[in-house]
Amino acid sequence: MGLLRNSLCAVALSLFAASAGNAATLVEPTLHLKPQGAEAGGRVALTLDACGGKTDTRILSALVDNRIPATIFVTGIWLKHNAEAVEIMRAHPDLFELENHGGRHIPAVDTPQKIYGIRSAGSPDAVQTEVESGAAALASAGGPAPRWFRGATAEYSPSAIAMIRKLGFKIAGFSVNGDGGSLLGAKETARRIGAAKDGDVIIAHINQPTHAAGEGVVQGLLALKQKGMTFVRLDDAEDVGNDGTTD
């Protein structure tokens, strides 16, 4: 009986090892702007993901009212249900740059696995479909063609990074996780964003209007503005990403 139990344990361990070996080592890229220096007051890039769902009008209104530029990463799913918000963004091309967050908000990982509970694309073809369908959705919504891509969960397999670059997109990492996937409270979100420094790229979300994090996003941005920080869109500044995501 003991021999059988040991044999079964060995089989289980070997299956686990095989599964781990097949899973891609994932990369969460960083992205920074070229620093301006203290004498210039500093600048940051605000990037907001619109994964699905609705629009956080607290954030959108604050950006328009306070003339704060932002790069918005939109999915095909979000575009279908938020025409009014898209119209507002398109009406302010000096503030908003709309970029590609994928067609269906599927992680750009070309091996089957789950990232934060979301099933990955799972194959090179599926990664390509996610990227290209997101770009097509943006084209259908009008406006300039996207130049940047950020996948769901902002994690990638290295081979998927290479493929996305060959498709002509830079990949948008970040250096400040502002709202923890929109799951943080207002106070912590405001603290994280308000602590951003010259050259930082902030990530937060604009698709969760019922979450407390949205209030914190606004508070943090206004704190940075009060400090004299300049906001820029990704295409308006020289940027540096690691893991081959921008070069």
Side-chain angles (χ1 to χ4, degrees):
M1 189 70 176
L3 181 60
L4 176 60
R5 182 169 58 251
N6 289 341
S7 298
L8 291 173
C9 287
V11 170
L13 285 171
S14 65
L15 290 173
F16 175 81
S19 175
N22 288 333
T25 300
L26 301 185
V27 174
E28 185 179 275
T30 60
L31 184 66
H32 290 86
L33 308 178
K34 184 177 179 180
Q36 277 194 317
E39 65 282 356
R43 64 181 176 180
V44 296
L46 171 65
T47 68
L48 295 168
D49 288 1
C51 311
K54 299 182 180 180
T55 302
D56 192 331
T57 56
R58 296 170 298 181
I59 299 174
L60 182 57
S61 295
L63 296 179
V64 173
D65 293 345
N66 292 279
R67 308 297 299 164
I68 296 176
T71 302
I72 316 293
F73 284 89
V74 300
T75 65
I77 297 169
W78 184 86
L79 285 170
K80 286 181 180 179
H81 303 289
N82 292 273
E84 185 176 347
V86 173
E87 185 176 347
I88 293 171
M89 293 175 186
R90 294 296 194 203
H92 296 87
D94 55 327
L95 295 181
F96 299 110
E97 170 189 337
L98 271 60
E99 298 291 352
N100 185 358
H101 197 31
R104 297 171 55 206
H105 198 249
I106 298 172
V109 174
D110 53 15
T111 56
Q113 57 184 292
K114 285 188 176 181
I115 303 98
Y116 301 118
I118 304 176
R119 192 177 301 279
S120 68
S123 71
D125 285 347
V127 170
Q128 183 170 341
T129 297
E130 172 70 358
V131 176
E132 292 183 336
S133 62
L138 269 166
S140 297
R147 293 176 288 273
W148 289 85
F149 176 80
R150 175 181 286 155
T153 76
E155 295 201 8
Y156 311 82
S157 50
S159 49
I161 288 175
M163 175 189 297
I164 295 164
R165 295 292 287 122
K166 286 181 180 178
L167 290 173
F169 293 94
K170 290 183 177 182
I171 296 172
F174 56 91
S175 60
V176 174
N177 185 340
D179 64 358
S182 193
L183 298 177
L184 296 177
K187 185 176 180 180
E188 176 61 13
T189 298
R191 185 195 69 77
R192 289 190 180 195
I193 293 176
K197 294 180 172 54
D198 184 25
D200 273 330
V201 175
I202 302 165
I203 184 175
H205 292 75
I206 195 170
N207 67 307
Q208 296 289 355
T210 64
H211 289 196
E215 178 185 346
V217 170
V218 173
Q219 292 172 355
L221 294 175
L222 294 182
L224 287 176
K225 185 177 174 70
Q226 183 67 30
K227 293 178 184 177
M229 194 72 77
T230 299
F231 294 89
V232 297
R233 302 172 303 183
L234 289 185
D235 264 354
D236 294 334
E238 185 177 352
D239 40 65
V240 179
N242 63 351
D243 296 298
T245 51
T246 62
D247 54 12

